[in-house]
Amino acid sequence: MRALSRALAALAAFGVAATGVTALTSVPAQAEPGTVVISQVYGGGGNTGAPLTNDFVELFNRGSAPVALDGWSVQYGSATGTGTFAANPVVPLSGTLAPGQYHLVQLGGGTNGVPLPAPDTTGATNMSATAGKVVLARSAQGLACNGGSTPCAPEQTALIADLVGYGNANYFEGTAAPALSATTAALRGDHGCADTDVNGTDLQAAAPAPRNRATTPAPCGGEPTPTPTGEPSATPTPTAEPTSTPTPTPTVDPTSTPTSTPSSTPSSTPTEDPCWTPPTHQIAQVQGSGDVSPLAGQTVRVEGVVTGDFQEPDQLGGFFLQDPTPDADPATSEGLFAYARSSFKDVKVGDRVLVTGKVVEYNGWTELSPVTVVDVCGTGTVAPVRQSLPRAEGSTFEPVESMLVTFPEPLTVTDHYNLGRYGEVTLSSEGRLFQATDRPGVSEAANERRSLLVDDGSTRENPPAIPYTDPRAVRLGDTTLGVTGVLGYGFGRYRLQPTKPIGFLRTNPRLPAPFPVLGNVKVASFNTLNWFTTLGSRGASNAEEQRRQLAKLVAALKGMNADAVGLMEVQNNGQSALQALVDALNAEVGAGTYAALSHPYPGTDQIHVALIYKPARLQLVGPARSSTDPVFRRPPLIQTFRRVQGGEPFTLVVNHFKSKGCDTAATGPDADQGDGQSCYNGERVRQAKATLALVESLRLPNALVLGDLNAYGEEDPIDTLEAGGLTSLTKRFVPAPLRYSYLFDGRSGELDHALAARDLLRRVTSATIWHINSDESRILDYNTEYNPPGLYRPDAFRSSDHDPLVVGLTLPGGR
């Protein structure tokens, strides 16, 4: 934060009227560097789709000394309204904030989401979810200004310790922070330390991550000064120009502590001290400016400081070293990996080493292997190089390969498929990644630039202790700040090997039940992920797994509490598998609560679609119907219902279109066309057309087509259904950040759909997706192989790999 600007101070000194400084009030008087700032603003609490019940403002002490908040306050104003800050409830503050400590101010809220962590201060202010103005004032009195229609006079501005204007706010520092939503907050960069007096630079829109006084303090380090505007350089400024030919004198880092001091006396000669043997090359010369080392195949001796120690046999088998005196070329990395286990020479982080070895390109990774000499010659330090995502278009991590790097921005967990098997998670900037064919405006190239794969520095497969599972397994949508590690490479991807523990903020909390839907009838769609009563075919491999699977499926169905549920991937063995599921469900919710329909034409596939319903709530109108059209490998199940009180009927069309998997039969229009829709897209389009024909030919009243259609939201099969007069209910009712039901290859998307015919659309009152599966790691499912036994719970979470979808209908008529 900066002090009162010279221009504004001069105007105040000459007694210029407040109206004369309107143009200057977008940058108010600031507190001295190192005081308390607004580190987070969230105004969507309790809204539809909101992860948290309350709005909040988070404060942070970025200074080096405690700050007393007694007599201070948090004040709010609308983005462009005429009301002053004093017109809204003023939230008084108290207590002392230590350096690096957060202070959580809970404000107004609603019914959706989960509670905030324990607040340090509570107020009643309701903020806008998208745009507004928040001030931290060194006064308990409301400011009689708003920075816009009522400008803040110099004496009022001087009371403002910090200001955040977001969205289309007309009062802000520099430029406004981004517009927010029910699912995004404005987070100050570098865990609260970033402060250039430009809201648009310092704060980014990301998933809300509230922190309170109980959060581990994160000091900025020393007396902070305003962070320079602009992106930090990816390569540190060199302290000296490298010489083209190394001189035969020992290189000594002036900040290091040698383990043995070279001497000019005969008792200490170069032949007696290996640290006298100088390097032959700088690390930057070994790395070169391209993907491949210009010295590949040559033996070199390099010097650096150990930044990452992964020498044990179940780790990477070596260590990372980095030159603390980089060259002047930003295209050359200053880091290198040395393949040398601790049994050869044990080193530790901070050791200054001279390493002799052969330069190789190991599957695209420049490293020294074999290493023949490792000499520890003192200690040193290397500061991590700041990086940010997304990367610039056309760039890679090659210039910082094997270097110590840090990502101070908020990053979101977007993939954990290999968490249990290899200890990997993928993080992304700007929220989670979505499938490019699921919604407009998504680019797979941009997805890649936003991604960072985080590994665990280990080669062990299916380790007994899995990272990021305590106190609960990390979920997609959880976030972290300040990820630091060394950037290795393997299996075709750059991999960050953490050198500091990564703590995840539980910004995507589990919901114990779906968001409530409105109406007098509730229907759902759920893919059961191969519910089989025949062991060892698909689904459970043994009786114990089957028991665990059934418990999770029952918990999920019980949580949905729908009047009718269309099911996919139920074993096609008559009524055996379906009835076993209904019996187990009724044992939990009450005898006779649910009944199972009999499919008139289930087809010959191993799995079929099914339908269960509550006889006390719904009555059947006519028999169950299907189609013998061979285009359906898993024929649909069609049933018309009416509420038991009577009234208008509605029809469920439960379907499960052909999967995207490719095989030798996928030819012609069913082959992968390279458009992101994978194989059998042509067949899924034909199935969509056949579904529309059924709705029309059977004159189905109030038809609702639902199920796993194996097509993302902007793919041809969904376009076909929409062009035929059906409306996607999730596109209409579910906010885009929450509109997904499946995870594949680190991208979320919606494979499970509910589409209403025109006559039903006016009866649909709401829809939601219950995120109990796609956000959860597969190590939590019913399988017993590889999954640590302590992680299993007989609950709804990871009961399948698809999220269930729930729709609320309001049907007229009846008693």
Side-chain angles (χ1 to χ4, degrees):
M1 305 298 293
R2 296 189 180 93
L4 182 65
S5 69
R6 290 194 181 108
L8 188 55
L11 288 171
F14 282 96
V16 176
T19 55
V21 295
T22 301
L24 295 174
T25 57
S26 63
V27 183
Q30 308 296 355
E32 291 294 339
T35 53
V36 178
V37 295
I38 298 169
S39 53
Q40 196 169 168
V41 173
Y42 175 61
N47 292 357
T48 300
L52 299 167
T53 55
N54 287 83
D55 301 346
F56 69 87
V57 170
E58 180 191 275
L59 309 176
F60 176 68
N61 183 358
R62 62 188 295 273
S64 59
V67 176
L69 300 180
D70 300 286
W72 291 33
S73 64
V74 169
Q75 303 181 26
Y76 172 76
S78 65
T80 58
T82 57
T84 65
F85 290 111
N88 292 308
V90 173
V91 184
L93 301 172
S94 62
T96 298
L97 205 58
Q101 191 172 36
Y102 299 93
H103 185 103
L104 183 61
V105 181
Q106 175 176 297
L107 301 173
T111 58
N112 294 313
V114 298
L116 297 175
D120 304 304
T121 297
T122 301
T125 305
N126 287 297
M127 300 195 301
S128 167
T130 57
K133 300 172 291 199
V134 181
V135 294
L136 173 63
R138 290 186 290 268
S139 171
Q141 301 299 315
L143 299 177
C145 64
N146 60 24
S149 59
T150 305
C152 294
E155 59 272 18
Q156 294 169 322
T157 305
L159 294 174
I160 298 177
D162 196 17
L163 162 68
V164 171
Y166 59 102
N168 65 338
N170 58 12
Y171 192 38
F172 42 77
E173 292 183 3
T175 60
L180 307 178
S181 69
T183 59
T184 56
L187 277 79
R188 186 174 293 275
D190 200 4
H191 71 270
C193 296
D195 190 13
T196 66
D197 289 344
V198 179
N199 290 163
T201 298
D202 297 333
L203 293 105
Q204 300 176 345
R211 295 161 289 194
N212 58 15
R213 286 177 178 266
T215 302
T216 302
C220 298
E223 184 69 22
T225 55
T227 306
T229 303
E231 291 295 320
S233 172
T235 304
T237 304
T239 57
E241 289 292 331
T243 56
S244 58
T245 304
T247 57
T249 58
T251 57
V252 180
D253 179 359
T255 65
S256 70
T257 302
T259 55
S260 59
T261 305
S263 171
S264 60
T265 64
S267 61
S268 179
T269 65
T271 59
E272 295 171 345
D273 189 344
C275 294
W276 276 92
T277 305
T280 62
H281 297 81
Q282 280 192 293
I283 290 176
Q285 292 175 299
V286 175
Q287 283 283 6
S289 58
D291 293 342
V292 178
S293 170
L295 302 178
Q298 299 183 33
T299 297
V300 299
R301 183 170 172 84
V302 294
E303 180 182 12
V305 174
V306 176
T307 54
D309 180 9
F310 303 92
Q311 291 184 277
E312 298 309 311
D314 63 345
Q315 296 180 313
L316 302 179
F319 59 90
F320 293 80
L321 66 155
Q322 187 168 328
D323 193 337
T325 58
D327 70 354
D329 186 354
T332 59
S333 168
E334 310 300 331
L336 193 60
F337 181 73
Y339 186 73
R341 294 184 174 177
S342 59
S343 57
F344 174 76
K345 178 70 173 183
D346 193 15
V347 301
K348 61 183 181 296
V349 173
D351 282 346
R352 185 174 66 85
V353 294
L354 285 100
V355 183
T356 302
K358 184 178 180 180
V359 181
V360 298
E361 290 292 329
Y362 182 76
N363 294 329
W365 189 13
T366 303
E367 62 179 55
L368 299 183
S369 178
V371 169
T372 55
V373 176
V374 176
D375 295 318
V376 178
C377 299
T379 60
T381 59
V382 172
V385 176
R386 293 168 62 100
Q387 295 287 291
S388 63
L389 296 174
R391 303 188 314 272
E393 188 171 355
S395 68
T396 72
F397 284 125
E398 178 68 26
V400 289
E401 178 185 279
S402 297
M403 290 179 63
L404 182 67
V405 296
T406 187
F407 293 81
E409 68 209 275
L411 297 176
T412 300
V413 179
T414 195
D415 190 19
H416 49 29
Y417 185 79
N418 282 324
L419 173 61
R421 189 172 185 187
Y422 299 120
E424 298 175 358
V425 295
T426 300
L427 309 178
S428 59
S429 63
E430 303 168 2
R432 73 172 68 218
L433 305 180
F434 288 96
Q435 297 287 348
T437 56
D438 187 67
R439 59 198 60 206
V442 177
S443 159
E444 185 52 35
N447 278 347
E448 281 297 320
R449 295 198 303 274
R450 290 168 53 195
S451 301
L452 175 68
L453 176 61
V454 177
D455 211 337
D456 63 349
S458 168
T459 58
R460 178 179 291 185
E461 189 172 353
N462 300 309
I466 299 175
Y468 318 128
T469 56
D470 186 21
R472 71 157 171 83
V474 68
R475 276 168 57 90
L476 296 193
D478 286 346
T479 54
T480 185
L481 297 167
V483 174
T484 300
V486 283
L487 200 59
Y489 187 86
F491 301 98
R493 298 189 67 182
Y494 287 98
R495 298 165 175 270
L496 185 89
Q497 311 292 351
T499 57
K500 293 182 178 179
I502 298 177
F504 287 101
L505 301 170
R506 306 308 189 182
T507 46
N508 183 24
R510 288 175 166 179
L511 297 181
F515 286 125
V517 294
L518 305 175
N520 52 23
V521 172
K522 181 163 58 173
V523 299
S525 172
F526 185 38
N527 184 319
T528 67
L529 184 57
N530 293 314
W531 165 242
F532 273 55
T533 52
T534 302
L535 297 174
S537 48
R538 290 167 66 167
S541 302
N542 52 59
E544 173 64 10
E545 286 189 348
Q546 188 180 73
R547 180 191 66 78
R548 288 157 56 114
Q549 182 186 22
L550 185 59
K552 282 189 166 290
L553 292 174
V554 167
L557 290 167
K558 181 179 177 181
M560 286 178 243
N561 191 30
D563 300 320
V565 185
L567 301 172
M568 293 98 242
E569 292 195 20
V570 176
Q571 184 180 8
N572 190 2
N573 61 348
Q575 290 292 96
S576 297
L578 180 60
Q579 193 60 51
L581 180 58
V582 169
D583 290 345
L585 177 58
N586 283 340
E588 281 286 320
V589 300
T593 300
Y594 282 93
L597 283 182
S598 178
H599 200 310
Y601 183 68
T604 59
D605 200 280
Q606 282 188 289
I607 55 176
H608 73 315
V609 298
L611 210 163
I612 65 175
Y613 71 103
K614 291 181 176 180
R617 297 274 298 164
L618 301 175
Q619 58 180 312
L620 305 181
V621 179
R625 291 178 282 182
S626 186
S627 171
T628 59
D629 189 335
V631 72
F632 295 112
R633 303 196 186 206
R634 297 178 282 263
L637 178 56
I638 305 169
Q639 180 63 58
T640 300
F641 293 96
R642 180 181 284 113
R643 297 169 63 222
V644 293
Q645 297 91 340
E648 196 170 292
F650 70 97
T651 305
L652 297 184
V653 183
V654 184
N655 222 325
H656 188 187
F657 287 0
K658 179 69 178 75
S659 70
K660 293 176 172 287
C662 297
D663 54 31
T664 56
T667 59
D670 290 330
D672 190 339
Q673 306 297 310
D675 57 1
Q677 301 187 79
S678 195
C679 291
Y680 292 104
N681 185 58
E683 181 170 321
R684 289 190 293 277
V685 170
R686 296 192 295 273
Q687 290 173 335
K689 292 179 178 177
T691 299
L692 290 171
L694 283 173
V695 173
E696 182 177 358
S697 64
L698 297 178
R699 300 178 182 271
L700 300 178
N702 289 324
L704 178 60
V705 176
L706 78 170
D708 175 5
L709 303 186
N710 274 309
Y712 293 112
E714 297 300 318
E715 293 187 355
D716 296 337
I718 307 304
D719 290 345
T720 300
L721 293 172
E722 292 176 330
L726 302 185
T727 298
S728 168
L729 300 182
T730 51
K731 288 181 181 178
R732 171 165 288 205
F733 290 100
V734 179
L738 299 177
R739 200 177 67 237
Y740 60 90
S741 65
Y742 192 73
L743 174 71
F744 180 75
D745 199 23
R747 278 57 169 156
S748 296
E750 185 181 12
L751 292 181
D752 305 85
H753 300 267
L755 300 105
R758 291 187 179 93
D759 55 346
L760 180 66
L761 187 59
R762 67 187 187 280
R763 309 301 187 199
V764 180
T765 44
S766 51
T768 190
I769 304 172
W770 190 18
H771 297 304
I772 54 175
N773 295 319
S774 65
D775 285 343
E776 301 284 343
S777 172
R778 58 178 175 153
I779 58 176
L780 306 179
D781 68 18
Y782 66 83
N783 287 280
T784 55
E785 63 269 14
Y786 306 126
N787 291 351
L791 296 180
Y792 174 79
R793 297 290 184 274
D795 55 23
F797 299 98
R798 200 61 191 188
S799 52
S800 175
D801 54 349
H802 291 249
D803 291 327
L805 181 143
V806 185
V807 176
L809 308 175
T810 300
L811 299 170
R815 298 187 300 277

